[in-house]
PDB file of all heavy atoms in Angstrom:
ATOM      1  N   ALA A 119       9.257   9.670  -0.785  1.00 92.00           N
ATOM      2  CA  ALA A 119       8.657   8.679  -1.686  1.00 92.00           C
ATOM      3  C   ALA A 119       9.665   8.026  -2.556  1.00 92.00           C
ATOM      4  O   ALA A 119       9.436   7.034  -3.148  1.00 92.00           O
ATOM      5  CB  ALA A 119       7.655   9.455  -2.584  1.00 92.00           C
ATOM      6  N   LEU A 120      10.877   8.636  -2.677  1.00 94.00           N
ATOM      7  CA  LEU A 120      11.962   8.035  -3.480  1.00 94.00           C
ATOM      8  C   LEU A 120      12.784   7.014  -2.785  1.00 94.00           C
ATOM      9  O   LEU A 120      13.742   6.512  -3.251  1.00 94.00           O
ATOM     10  CB  LEU A 120      12.821   9.194  -4.034  1.00 94.00           C
ATOM     11  CG  LEU A 120      12.104   9.977  -5.141  1.00 94.00           C
ATOM     12  CD1 LEU A 120      12.518  11.420  -5.140  1.00 94.00           C
ATOM     13  CD2 LEU A 120      12.196   9.348  -6.484  1.00 94.00           C
ATOM     14  N   ILE A 121      12.356   6.654  -1.488  1.00 92.00           N
ATOM     15  CA  ILE A 121      13.179   5.700  -0.769  1.00 92.00           C
ATOM     16  C   ILE A 121      13.359   4.359  -1.457  1.00 92.00           C
ATOM     17  O   ILE A 121      14.431   3.715  -1.301  1.00 92.00           O
ATOM     18  CB  ILE A 121      12.578   5.544   0.678  1.00 92.00           C
ATOM     19  CG1 ILE A 121      13.625   4.749   1.524  1.00 92.00           C
ATOM     20  CG2 ILE A 121      11.244   4.833   0.695  1.00 92.00           C
ATOM     21  CD1 ILE A 121      13.336   4.932   2.999  1.00 92.00           C
ATOM     22  N   ASP A 122      12.354   3.975  -2.240  1.00 89.00           N
ATOM     23  CA  ASP A 122      12.481   2.677  -2.913  1.00 89.00           C
ATOM     24  C   ASP A 122      13.755   2.604  -3.806  1.00 89.00           C
ATOM     25  O   ASP A 122      14.207   1.577  -4.240  1.00 89.00           O
ATOM     26  CB  ASP A 122      11.224   2.343  -3.661  1.00 89.00           C
ATOM     27  CG  ASP A 122      10.041   1.978  -2.765  1.00 89.00           C
ATOM     28  OD1 ASP A 122      10.431   1.744  -1.525  1.00 89.00           O
ATOM     29  OD2 ASP A 122       8.951   1.944  -3.167  1.00 89.00           O
ATOM     30  N   VAL A 123      14.178   3.793  -4.305  1.00 90.00           N
ATOM     31  CA  VAL A 123      15.211   3.871  -5.165  1.00 90.00           C
ATOM     32  C   VAL A 123      16.494   3.267  -4.524  1.00 90.00           C
ATOM     33  O   VAL A 123      17.410   2.818  -5.237  1.00 90.00           O
ATOM     34  CB  VAL A 123      15.487   5.351  -5.668  1.00 90.00           C
ATOM     35  CG1 VAL A 123      16.761   5.475  -6.443  1.00 90.00           C
ATOM     36  CG2 VAL A 123      14.306   5.817  -6.561  1.00 90.00           C
ATOM     37  N   SER A 124      16.495   3.305  -3.205  1.00 88.00           N
ATOM     38  CA  SER A 124      17.698   2.766  -2.468  1.00 88.00           C
ATOM     39  C   SER A 124      17.825   1.259  -2.772  1.00 88.00           C
ATOM     40  O   SER A 124      18.900   0.685  -2.551  1.00 88.00           O
ATOM     41  CB  SER A 124      17.580   2.995  -1.044  1.00 88.00           C
ATOM     42  OG  SER A 124      16.493   2.288  -0.436  1.00 88.00           O
ATOM     43  N   HIS A 125      16.755   0.605  -3.304  1.00 88.00           N
ATOM     44  CA  HIS A 125      16.900  -0.760  -3.680  1.00 88.00           C
ATOM     45  C   HIS A 125      17.062  -0.912  -5.167  1.00 88.00           C
ATOM     46  O   HIS A 125      16.952  -2.049  -5.789  1.00 88.00           O
ATOM     47  CB  HIS A 125      15.567  -1.533  -3.230  1.00 88.00           C
ATOM     48  CG  HIS A 125      15.241  -1.361  -1.854  1.00 88.00           C
ATOM     49  ND1 HIS A 125      16.064  -1.829  -0.833  1.00 88.00           N
ATOM     50  CD2 HIS A 125      14.179  -0.740  -1.237  1.00 88.00           C
ATOM     51  CE1 HIS A 125      15.520  -1.461   0.385  1.00 88.00           C
ATOM     52  NE2 HIS A 125      14.430  -0.798   0.130  1.00 88.00           N
ATOM     53  N   MET A 126      17.255   0.183  -5.919  1.00 88.00           N
ATOM     54  CA  MET A 126      17.360   0.145  -7.368  1.00 88.00           C
ATOM     55  C   MET A 126      18.642   0.917  -7.693  1.00 88.00           C
ATOM     56  O   MET A 126      18.603   2.058  -8.131  1.00 88.00           O
ATOM     57  CB  MET A 126      16.197   0.823  -8.035  1.00 88.00           C
ATOM     58  CG  MET A 126      14.845   0.183  -7.826  1.00 88.00           C
ATOM     59  SD  MET A 126      13.513   0.953  -8.718  1.00 88.00           S
ATOM     60  CE  MET A 126      12.914   2.142  -7.594  1.00 88.00           C
ATOM     61  N   PRO A 127      19.810   0.235  -7.602  1.00 88.00           N
ATOM     62  CA  PRO A 127      21.079   0.961  -7.881  1.00 88.00           C
ATOM     63  C   PRO A 127      21.134   1.708  -9.180  1.00 88.00           C
ATOM     64  O   PRO A 127      21.804   2.823  -9.202  1.00 88.00           O
ATOM     65  CB  PRO A 127      22.098  -0.136  -7.819  1.00 88.00           C
ATOM     66  CG  PRO A 127      21.442  -1.228  -7.014  1.00 88.00           C
ATOM     67  CD  PRO A 127      20.027  -1.150  -7.281  1.00 88.00           C
ATOM     68  N   ALA A 128      20.496   1.137 -10.259  1.00 90.00           N
ATOM     69  CA  ALA A 128      20.674   1.804 -11.529  1.00 90.00           C
ATOM     70  C   ALA A 128      19.941   3.113 -11.567  1.00 90.00           C
ATOM     71  O   ALA A 128      20.182   3.938 -12.414  1.00 90.00           O
ATOM     72  CB  ALA A 128      20.069   0.830 -12.598  1.00 90.00           C
ATOM     73  N   ARG A 129      18.950   3.329 -10.611  1.00 94.00           N
ATOM     74  CA  ARG A 129      18.231   4.552 -10.630  1.00 94.00           C
ATOM     75  C   ARG A 129      18.678   5.682  -9.663  1.00 94.00           C
ATOM     76  O   ARG A 129      18.161   6.761  -9.586  1.00 94.00           O
ATOM     77  CB  ARG A 129      16.739   4.325 -10.377  1.00 94.00           C
ATOM     78  CG  ARG A 129      16.142   3.194 -11.166  1.00 94.00           C
ATOM     79  CD  ARG A 129      16.465   3.263 -12.698  1.00 94.00           C
ATOM     80  NE  ARG A 129      15.950   4.458 -13.309  1.00 94.00           N
ATOM     81  CZ  ARG A 129      14.727   4.623 -13.746  1.00 94.00           C
ATOM     82  NH1 ARG A 129      13.894   3.636 -13.609  1.00 94.00           N
ATOM     83  NH2 ARG A 129      14.374   5.741 -14.319  1.00 94.00           N
ATOM     84  N   VAL A 130      19.748   5.299  -8.882  1.00 95.00           N
ATOM     85  CA  VAL A 130      20.261   6.275  -7.857  1.00 95.00           C
ATOM     86  C   VAL A 130      20.674   7.626  -8.489  1.00 95.00           C
ATOM     87  O   VAL A 130      20.293   8.659  -8.046  1.00 95.00           O
ATOM     88  CB  VAL A 130      21.414   5.638  -7.124  1.00 95.00           C
ATOM     89  CG1 VAL A 130      22.175   6.702  -6.288  1.00 95.00           C
ATOM     90  CG2 VAL A 130      20.839   4.534  -6.143  1.00 95.00           C
ATOM     91  N   LYS A 131      21.367   7.521  -9.633  1.00 96.00           N
ATOM     92  CA  LYS A 131      21.861   8.777 -10.232  1.00 96.00           C
ATOM     93  C   LYS A 131      20.568   9.587 -10.773  1.00 96.00           C
ATOM     94  O   LYS A 131      20.766  10.785 -10.827  1.00 96.00           O
ATOM     95  CB  LYS A 131      22.762   8.425 -11.390  1.00 96.00           C
ATOM     96  CG  LYS A 131      24.198   8.016 -10.982  1.00 96.00           C
ATOM     97  CD  LYS A 131      25.084   7.784 -12.076  1.00 96.00           C
ATOM     98  CE  LYS A 131      26.433   7.381 -11.617  1.00 96.00           C
ATOM     99  NZ  LYS A 131      27.285   6.779 -12.740  1.00 96.00           N
ATOM    100  N   CYS A 132      19.597   8.897 -11.143  1.00 97.00           N
ATOM    101  CA  CYS A 132      18.375   9.639 -11.615  1.00 97.00           C
ATOM    102  C   CYS A 132      17.771  10.437 -10.467  1.00 97.00           C
ATOM    103  O   CYS A 132      17.427  11.594 -10.532  1.00 97.00           O
ATOM    104  CB  CYS A 132      17.258   8.710 -12.055  1.00 97.00           C
ATOM    105  SG  CYS A 132      17.878   7.597 -13.395  1.00 97.00           S
ATOM    106  N   ALA A 133      17.722   9.762  -9.272  1.00 97.00           N
ATOM    107  CA  ALA A 133      17.104  10.381  -8.049  1.00 97.00           C
ATOM    108  C   ALA A 133      17.885  11.540  -7.487  1.00 97.00           C
ATOM    109  O   ALA A 133      17.305  12.468  -7.005  1.00 97.00           O
ATOM    110  CB  ALA A 133      16.865   9.369  -7.017  1.00 97.00           C
TER     111      ALA A 133
END
Side-chain angles (χ1 to χ4, degrees):
L120 289 150
I121 192 164
D122 287 348
V123 172
S124 63
H125 309 295
M126 296 184 269
R129 310 313 298 277
V130 165
K131 284 181 180 168
C132 305

